[in-house]
């Protein structure tokens, strides 16, 4: 895996640092995870908090999204592969319920300073299963002020860097902000855009999903990329100044999870998901996660 990534990086003209984590010209690495743990081991507890159950303690039920799975810290649901990857696996249990996993960075200080740029990037292969209706993998951030409070969403800001539902070959990027319902981010939908994964499908193939905050100009911007191709942008004048500051200028933490069912897959499918025939055992696989600042 490491050799493969070295060849890929050289082909793209990207020098490599810290194993699988690529360097980006003009940026320095603020924090990174190359998932180099032993086969069958859990994510490094120095870097990651593993969420469990159906909600944060005292927080909205079903994580506020209507997703139906139970998150666990079982290695059947989340584990290193032993060759530099992390897997999150969704299983349908004998009683008909689902289990999966959700992790969030222990660090909650990822922020773009005035005059700089920040990028958050992940390399992911999305679940490839025969019947994918109800699958909802996501890589995203929440404002650090959400920790321990749980009822200040969406004012604290949420950047959905990669969302995908129902096995559709598309990536969604979404900004959540302001108030719910309605507000400048049109909640609960947020401000989204999406596109097909370039080249190979999102499912079963690794793609780079990148989010950028750019505060180098008076007109600030946030941007979404897949494999270096920009497909979504929101600029500071799109929102009231106080809403922009709250969502964009404050620290965030990152999350990676594989949900089943809930508002987004239900809306796209037009009915309740997952189905009785939805395939168990879908795997979300990550090669690296990295945060950079200029």
């Amino acid at each position: 895996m490491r050799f493969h990534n070295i060849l890929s990086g050289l082909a793209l003209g990207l020098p490599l640092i810290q194993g699988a984590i690529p360097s980006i010209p003009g940026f320095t690495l603020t924090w990174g995870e190359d998932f180099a743990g032993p086969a069958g081991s859990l994510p490094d507890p120095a870097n990651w908090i593993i969420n469990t159950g159906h909600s944060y303690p005292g927080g909205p039920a079903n994580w506020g999204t209507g997703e139906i799975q139970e998150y666990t810290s079982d290695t059947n649901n989340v584990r290193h592969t032993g060759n530099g990857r992390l897997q999150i696996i969704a299983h349908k249990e004998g009683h008909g319920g689902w289990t999966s996993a959700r992790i969030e960075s222990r660090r909650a200080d990822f922020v773009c300073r005035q005059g700089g740029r920040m990028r958050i990037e992940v390399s992911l292969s999305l679940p490839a299963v025969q019947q994918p209706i109800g699958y909802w993998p996501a890589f995203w951030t929440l404002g650090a002020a959400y920790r321990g409070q749980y009822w200040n969403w969406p004012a604290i800001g949420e950047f959905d860097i990669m969302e995908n539902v129902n096995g559709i070959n598309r990536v969604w990027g979404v900004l959540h902000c302001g108030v719910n319902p309605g507000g400048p981010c049109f909640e609960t939908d947020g401000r989204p855009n999406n596109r097909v994964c370039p080249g190979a499908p999102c499912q079963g193939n690794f793609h780079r999903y990148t989010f950028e905050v750019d505060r180098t100009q008076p007109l600030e911007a946030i941007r979404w990329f897949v494999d270096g191709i920009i497909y979504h942008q929101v600029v500071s004048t799109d929102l009231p100044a106080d809403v922009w500051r709250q969502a964009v200028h404050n620290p965030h933490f990152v999350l990676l999870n594989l949900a089943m069912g809930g508002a987004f897959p239900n809306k796209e499918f037009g009915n309740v998901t997952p189905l009785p025939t939805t395939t168990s055992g879908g795997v979300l696989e990550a090669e690296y996660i990295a945060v950079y600042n200029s």
Side-chain angles (χ1 to χ4, degrees):
M1 175 267 182
R2 292 288 174 79
F3 183 66
H4 168 78
N5 276 281
I6 290 170
L7 292 179
S8 298
L10 291 174
L12 293 170
L14 297 174
L16 296 181
I17 54 176
Q18 214 171 340
I21 300 173
S23 64
I24 300 177
F27 289 83
T28 58
L29 182 66
T30 300
W31 177 85
E33 169 64 84
D34 63 3
F35 299 116
S41 65
L42 292 171
D44 184 352
N47 287 338
W48 299 102
I49 298 166
I50 302 177
N51 300 144
T52 58
H54 293 277
S55 71
Y56 288 114
N62 299 100
W63 305 99
T65 68
E67 58 199 73
I68 59 96
Q69 79 297 314
E70 177 184 3
Y71 287 130
T72 84
S73 57
D74 194 305
T75 54
N76 285 325
N77 293 120
V78 57
R79 64 192 180 217
H80 288 108
T81 62
N83 65 343
R85 296 176 181 174
L86 184 80
Q87 295 179 332
I88 295 180
I89 309 156
H91 289 290
K92 187 174 183 179
E93 305 300 326
H95 53 76
W98 287 80
T99 59
S100 187
R102 164 173 159 152
I103 62 173
E104 60 182 64
S105 63
R106 205 165 277 284
R107 283 186 61 169
D109 60 351
F110 304 132
V111 67
C112 181
R113 302 299 181 187
Q114 185 174 4
R117 288 188 294 163
M118 177 179 70
R119 286 189 179 179
I120 304 174
E121 183 169 288
V122 67
S123 175
L124 290 175
S125 173
L126 307 190
V129 296
Q130 184 174 4
Q131 175 52 277
I133 299 301
Y135 275 83
W136 185 3
F139 176 66
W140 50 302
T141 80
L142 282 169
Y146 193 72
R147 284 213 165 139
Q149 210 283 349
Y150 308 135
W151 293 96
N152 52 9
W153 184 93
I156 45 82
E158 176 181 329
F159 308 139
D160 296 330
I161 301 168
M162 190 297 302
E163 284 193 285
N164 176 270
V165 290
N166 302 335
I168 300 168
N169 181 29
R170 302 194 79 84
V171 54
W172 276 262
V174 190
L175 168 66
H176 293 281
C177 72
V179 297
N180 179 42
C185 276
F186 315 115
E187 300 300 348
T188 55
D189 289 341
R191 286 178 170 259
N193 203 0
N194 68 86
R195 64 152 290 152
V196 171
C197 280
C202 307
Q203 287 72 29
N205 300 285
F206 282 98
H207 293 274
R208 290 180 296 117
Y209 303 97
T210 308
F211 175 77
E212 179 178 84
V213 181
D214 186 347
R215 300 187 63 194
T216 61
Q217 303 294 327
L219 183 64
E220 298 180 354
I222 54 177
R223 305 181 181 102
W224 287 256
F225 305 80
V226 56
D227 293 340
I229 300 168
I230 186 171
Y231 69 96
H232 188 26
Q233 175 174 274
V234 180
V235 297
S236 51
T237 52
D238 290 332
L239 302 176
D242 61 327
V243 174
W244 181 267
R245 286 194 300 269
Q246 177 65 52
V248 177
H249 292 182
N250 288 307
H252 282 237
F253 59 95
V254 300
L255 305 97
L256 179 68
N257 68 287
L258 177 53
M260 297 300 300
F264 192 6
N266 292 354
K267 180 180 179 181
E268 286 296 312
F269 183 62
N271 211 328
V272 175
T273 68
L275 306 177
T277 55
T278 296
T279 306
S280 178
V283 179
L284 172 64
E285 197 162 51
E287 288 186 304
Y288 68 85
I289 294 173
V291 180
Y292 309 84
N293 285 87
S294 69

